[in-house]
Amino acid sequence: MKRLLFIMSVALFVTAVRAQEKPRRALFTEFAGASGLVGVSFDSRLKSSNHWGYRVGLSYNMGMGTSPKDEPSVLYSGPSILVASNYLIGRGNHRLELGLGMAFGYFCKEDNADAPPGSSEWNNNRRWEMGYYHFGEVGYRYQPARGFFLRMGVALNFVFERKVGLQWPFSLPYLGCGFAF
């Protein structure tokens, strides 16, 4: 009788532990979108049954001036840190993803308005600045409990400027793939 009671207790304990499922997590590489050029991010749900989640990542950005005061010859490049929250709509592995976030970075700004490309004056107007931008994302996400992870969609990147207001937003498609665990 003691042996049967012990076996039932162990079975009940193992069942209870397995019922506490870990939240779905993923590590992935993202091309374009909020990452700019390329980035690596960690994504997790807040709870296993929760549609809300967060994302933290590192990226490298490259782009041209996007505000009315920047000429098209102003180039930006540099590393940044991404922080975002997201919400998944749907059930199972296939979902619609909505996200909002911010990127903080240290960008090299090159102003080459007066220099033709390839000339010796091209790199004369270079300076490093701290910067940030906001982004919103809408896309498709395939995320099983374990295995191949895929996300793709469109990111709208924009900056709130003190003098100008909202700088010209621009959208970039994104593709992210990695592993869910």
Side-chain angles (χ1 to χ4, degrees), residues 62-76 109-110 167-168 170:
M62 265 182 125
M64 297 183 90
T66 59
S67 73
K69 67 180 182 178
D70 284 344
E71 297 295 321
S73 61
V74 176
L75 303 174
Y76 296 92
K109 182 178 180 181
E110 296 180 37
Q167 283 190 2
W168 301 105
F170 61 97

Coordinates of all heavy atoms in Angstrom, one line a residue, residues 62-76 109-110 167-168 170:
M62 N 22.0 51.2 -41.2 CA 22.5 52.0 -42.2 C 21.4 52.7 -42.9 O 20.4 52.1 -43.1 CB 23.3 51.2 -43.2 CG 24.8 51.1 -43.0 SD 25.5 50.1 -44.3 CE 26.7 51.3 -44.9
G63 N 21.5 54.0 -43.2 CA 20.5 54.6 -44.0 C 20.8 56.0 -44.4 O 21.9 56.5 -44.1
M64 N 19.9 56.7 -45.1 CA 20.1 58.0 -45.5 C 19.2 58.9 -44.7 O 18.3 58.5 -44.1 CB 19.8 58.1 -47.0 CG 20.7 57.3 -47.9 SD 20.3 57.4 -49.6 CE 21.4 58.8 -50.0
G65 N 19.5 60.2 -44.8 CA 18.7 61.2 -44.1 C 17.3 61.2 -44.4 O 16.9 61.0 -45.6
T66 N 16.4 61.3 -43.5 CA 14.9 61.1 -43.7 C 14.1 62.4 -43.3 O 12.9 62.4 -43.5 CB 14.4 59.9 -42.9 OG1 14.6 60.2 -41.5 CG2 15.0 58.6 -43.4
S67 N 14.7 63.4 -42.8 CA 14.0 64.5 -42.3 C 14.1 65.6 -43.4 O 15.0 65.6 -44.2 CB 14.5 65.0 -41.0 OG 15.7 65.7 -41.2
P68 N 13.2 66.6 -43.4 CA 13.3 67.7 -44.3 C 14.6 68.5 -44.2 O 15.0 69.0 -45.2 CB 12.1 68.6 -44.0 CG 11.2 67.8 -43.2 CD 12.0 66.7 -42.5
K69 N 15.2 68.5 -43.1 CA 16.4 69.3 -42.9 C 17.6 68.5 -43.4 O 18.7 69.1 -43.6 CB 16.6 69.8 -41.5 CG 16.8 68.7 -40.5 CD 17.0 69.2 -39.1 CE 17.3 68.1 -38.1 NZ 17.5 68.5 -36.8
D70 N 17.5 67.2 -43.5 CA 18.7 66.4 -44.0 C 18.6 66.2 -45.5 O 17.5 65.9 -46.0 CB 18.6 65.0 -43.3 CG 19.1 65.0 -41.9 OD1 19.7 66.0 -41.5 OD2 18.8 64.0 -41.2
E71 N 19.7 66.5 -46.1 CA 19.7 66.2 -47.6 C 19.9 64.7 -47.8 O 20.3 64.0 -46.9 CB 21.0 66.9 -48.1 CG 20.9 68.4 -48.0 CD 19.7 69.0 -48.8 OE1 19.5 68.6 -49.9 OE2 19.1 70.0 -48.3
P72 N 19.6 64.2 -49.0 CA 19.7 62.8 -49.2 C 21.2 62.3 -49.1 O 21.4 61.1 -49.0 CB 19.2 62.6 -50.7 CG 18.4 63.8 -50.9 CD 18.9 64.9 -50.1
S73 N 22.1 63.2 -49.1 CA 23.5 62.8 -49.0 C 24.0 62.6 -47.6 O 25.1 62.3 -47.3 CB 24.4 63.9 -49.7 OG 24.3 65.1 -49.0
V74 N 23.1 62.8 -46.6 CA 23.5 62.5 -45.2 C 23.3 61.0 -44.9 O 22.2 60.5 -45.1 CB 22.6 63.3 -44.2 CG1 22.9 63.0 -42.8 CG2 22.8 64.8 -44.4
L75 N 24.4 60.3 -44.5 CA 24.3 58.9 -44.3 C 24.5 58.6 -42.8 O 25.3 59.3 -42.1 CB 25.5 58.2 -45.1 CG 25.5 58.4 -46.6 CD1 26.8 57.8 -47.1 CD2 24.3 57.9 -47.2
Y76 N 23.7 57.6 -42.3 CA 23.8 57.2 -40.9 C 24.2 55.7 -40.9 O 23.7 54.9 -41.7 CB 22.4 57.3 -40.3 CG 21.9 58.7 -40.2 CD1 21.1 59.3 -41.2 CD2 22.2 59.5 -39.1 CE1 20.6 60.5 -41.1 CE2 21.8 60.8 -39.0 CZ 20.9 61.3 -40.0 OH 20.5 62.6 -39.8
K109 N 27.4 59.9 -38.5 CA 26.6 60.7 -39.4 C 27.6 61.3 -40.4 O 28.5 62.0 -39.9 CB 25.9 61.8 -38.7 CG 25.0 62.7 -39.6 CD 24.2 63.7 -38.7 CE 23.4 64.6 -39.6 NZ 22.7 65.6 -38.8
E110 N 27.5 61.1 -41.7 CA 28.4 61.6 -42.7 C 27.6 62.6 -43.5 O 26.6 62.2 -44.2 CB 28.9 60.5 -43.6 CG 29.8 59.5 -42.8 CD 30.4 58.5 -43.7 OE1 30.7 58.7 -44.9 OE2 30.5 57.3 -43.2
Q167 N 9.5 63.3 -37.8 CA 10.3 63.2 -39.1 C 9.6 62.3 -40.0 O 8.7 61.5 -39.6 CB 11.7 62.7 -38.8 CG 12.6 63.8 -38.2 CD 14.0 63.3 -38.2 OE1 14.4 62.2 -38.7 NE2 14.9 64.1 -37.7
W168 N 9.9 62.4 -41.3 CA 9.3 61.6 -42.3 C 9.4 60.1 -41.9 O 10.5 59.6 -41.8 CB 9.9 61.8 -43.6 CG 9.8 63.2 -44.1 CD1 10.8 64.1 -44.1 CD2 8.6 63.9 -44.5 NE1 10.3 65.4 -44.5 CE2 9.0 65.2 -44.8 CE3 7.3 63.5 -44.7 CZ2 8.1 66.2 -45.2 CZ3 6.4 64.4 -45.1 CH2 6.8 65.8 -45.4
F170 N 9.4 56.1 -42.5 CA 9.7 55.2 -43.7 C 9.4 53.8 -43.3 O 9.6 53.4 -42.1 CB 11.1 55.4 -44.2 CG 12.2 55.1 -43.3 CD1 12.8 53.9 -43.3 CD2 12.6 56.0 -42.3 CE1 13.8 53.6 -42.4 CE2 13.6 55.7 -41.4 CZ 14.2 54.5 -41.5

